[in-house]
Amino acid sequence: MTKQPIAYLTGEYPKVSHTFIQREIEALRLNGWTVEACTIRRAAPNDIVGTDQHREARDTFCVLEAAKRPATLIGAHIWALRRDARAWAKAAGLAWRTRPAGLKAALWQVFYFLEAGVLARHLHDRGVCHIHNHFANSSASVAMLTSEMSGIPFSMTMHGPAIFFEPMHWRIDEKIARAAFVSCISHFCRSQAMYFSDPIHWDKLKIVHCGVVPDDYGHGPRTDRKKRIIFVGRLDPVKGVPLLLDAMARVVRDHRDATLTVVGDGPSRHAVEEQSRALGLGDCVSFLGYRASDEITGLLEEADMLVLPSFAEGVPVVLMEAMASRIPVIASRVAGVSELIEDGVSGFTIPAGDLDTLCARLDTLLSDGDLCIRMGNEGRQKVEADFDLSSEAAWIGALFEGALIETLPDSLRP
């Protein structure tokens, strides 16, 4: 069947920490899909890095920018009422029924409803036939209400772990019930979605991995080892960087030539830089801030291992990038991480927050270059087999096709 236009929505797009969404959209476009990129709000300027992201930002429809224009906001809801007053009223009722407790939360729900009217008008004008949303929180609320108001079916990708801390606040049970399908990034993610939804909807829960293009990584030989450790991620307490710095302070006693490169930015940057100075780590730790995707690829080429000691995660794409680069990884054994890393084979998984185990695993890799090479090769094979973006984009594209077929009259279905 001819690929009909679809829309991708999320809370902030594009942004450096969500490059996997941009890659997924690009892969779908390469497969012949017309994808209308939409975002609830613009990402902060320092979160948009590189030429590709700036270009994508220019071409992305921002709901809040449009909704802040009174004529656009009022006009969209007048259009929705004239088009189908019953659907508009049902969307208003759905917004009210699924509101979280408290006055402030109810007010936010009003905003989501107003945004839904603006998005519904925009998607109708663009001929969009399906909405797909990444993350199951506020942007998914807007997607669900837009779907109810416009009649355009929606689906969503669930990531976690944060959404599973407040599942009823965000009414993921209702979203799963109303979605055409739900893409879950791991078996763990799907299990949590099953726990918080009615079993009659479990067949909607499909595992679609985030992925990378393996051929973009791992071009250089892995023979020139210099004990270079890299961390890539948002500098936020959940990522466990203070634990990594404590570990570095220990391991450099035996590995004086070991270095750590911290790539990323965020609310904890000042604190972790201060900690590094207090620990006397000096030049063995460098903080680079955010870097564009191609720069990160180059930094992974130069690194000997990647460490991600997070306290909570989904299945981090940066681990896939490192494994595709043929370097071993050390990561906390949380959520779906063990579905990517086989402990002792392609890297090490450690108990979250366990400093002693982190130090021991760092010492093992810093002491054994041959092990690093073997683990790096195993990691590359794992990514090629199970986390190749082209395969995952084809799979989610097939789910879109199935959802679109379901919206056709019986006489037009294949």
Side-chain angles (χ1 to χ4, degrees), residues 138-161:
S138 56
S139 62
S141 299
V142 175
M144 178 177 68
L145 297 175
T146 300
S147 177
E148 186 72 11
M149 191 181 300
S150 65
I152 301 172
F154 85 101
S155 54
M156 63 180 176
T157 294
M158 296 189 72
H159 292 262

Side-chain angles (χ1 to χ4, degrees), residues 316-384:
V317 173
V318 70
L319 293 176
M320 303 171 201
E321 294 174 328
M323 292 165 71
S325 300
R326 294 189 173 90
I327 60 175
V329 294
I330 301 174
S332 300
R333 195 179 304 127
V334 293
V337 168
S338 294
E339 298 174 37
L340 173 62
I341 305 169
E342 186 176 354
D343 186 46
V345 176
S346 52
F348 291 116
T349 59
I350 63 172
D354 189 334
L355 178 60
D356 291 340
T357 304
L358 174 56
C359 291
R361 299 297 178 261
L362 279 168
D363 179 67
T364 297
L365 292 181
L366 290 168
S367 303
D368 193 339
D370 291 338
L371 176 62
C372 288
I373 292 171
R374 291 197 302 273
M375 284 186 162
N377 289 332
E378 290 286 345
R380 171 75 180 207
Q381 292 176 28
K382 176 64 174 179
V383 171
E384 289 177 338

Side-chain angles (χ1 to χ4, degrees), residues 225 228-230 303-307 327-328 362 365-366 372:
R225 286 182 44 78
R228 296 161 295 196
I229 305 164
I230 191 170
D304 297 298
M305 65 195 73
L306 179 137
V307 183
I327 60 175
L362 279 168
L365 292 181
L366 290 168
C372 288

